[in-house]
Amino acid sequence: MLRISRRSVLTLSLALVAVSVWAGSASAATVSVPAAGTGSSYYTDSGIFIPSGESVTVTASGTWSVCPPANCTSGPAGNSSYPPPGVPPYADPTAEAGTLIGSTNGASSWSAIGAGPTVVSGPGELLLTANDIPPSEPGGCGGPTGCYLDNTGSVTAVITFVATDKSQCKDGGWQTLTDANGTPFKNQGDCVSYVATGGRNPANG
């Protein structure tokens, strides 16, 4: 008769929780990011929480416009023909208009992501939007979405976790991970090698 102690049950339960945490973080997501925002917010919640010590790569494609004139149309890398960074009070004052930007601190501050692949580190829920004038700025357009109200188009962002632990590579996990350059792994061994060398041996794709 097999006897299992309470300590063994507790240890097994904790192990299963740990596995579920790794499984939850070792995943990829494709998110549509409209330039006009969603609902009463000017940004899109990717639904991806990046734990402390972990990172994701973001790669984006598509076109959008952050103002009515045709010269405002750009991809996620932004539009250099529109007023340069710092002239209007953009959400990210260091990036061009129309650049895909991200935040992991609840939209308190933003950083350029562009077309990528760009590494974004945790901790925090990843929010995404086009770089424009937010409602918090005095020079904004008013309303809950600021100057995002007249924006059009959208970009698609592919968000993939960067491998940080060899256990993430097992049981097909390597297929949902990349290295810090956004390159997918060729197989499990490729993923394990990347982690074991601290990133010195990049993915072979």
Side-chain angles (χ1 to χ4, degrees):
M1 180 177 180
L2 179 63
R3 293 185 178 181
I4 302 176
S5 67
R6 291 182 180 179
R7 178 176 294 180
S8 297
V9 171
L10 177 59
T11 301
L12 179 60
S13 298
L14 291 174
L16 289 173
V17 169
V19 169
S20 67
V21 169
W22 278 120
S25 63
S27 59
T30 300
V31 180
S32 177
V33 185
T38 55
S40 61
S41 299
Y42 63 95
Y43 52 80
T44 297
D45 186 340
S46 70
I48 297 292
F49 179 82
I50 311 171
S52 179
E54 294 195 37
S55 303
V56 298
T57 56
V58 183
T59 304
S61 60
T63 57
W64 53 17
S65 179
V66 297
C67 58
N71 67 347
C72 289
T73 300
S74 75
N79 191 333
S80 60
S81 66
Y82 199 57
V87 176
Y90 294 139
D92 179 358
T94 66
E96 296 172 344
T99 301
L100 175 65
I101 56 177
S103 173
T104 55
N105 60 9
S108 294
S109 62
W110 297 88
S111 298
I113 292 177
T118 301
V119 175
V120 180
S121 299
E125 185 89 359
L126 179 59
L127 309 178
L128 300 168
T129 192
N131 198 29
D132 201 354
I133 302 175
S136 59
E137 292 293 341
C141 303
T145 55
C147 288
Y148 287 76
L149 186 63
D150 61 356
N151 294 350
T152 58
S154 65
V155 303
T156 299
V158 178
I159 306 163
T160 310
F161 271 86
V162 177
T164 57
D165 189 278
K166 288 185 285 187
S167 65
Q168 294 173 296
C169 304
K170 298 178 180 179
D171 301 319
W174 61 271
Q175 298 176 75
T176 65
L177 300 165
T178 69
D179 65 11
N181 296 317
T183 304
F185 297 105
K186 182 172 60 177
N187 50 43
Q188 179 175 309
D190 192 24
C191 178
V192 170
S193 176
Y194 171 76
V195 175
T197 60
R200 292 188 299 276
N201 188 12
N204 291 315

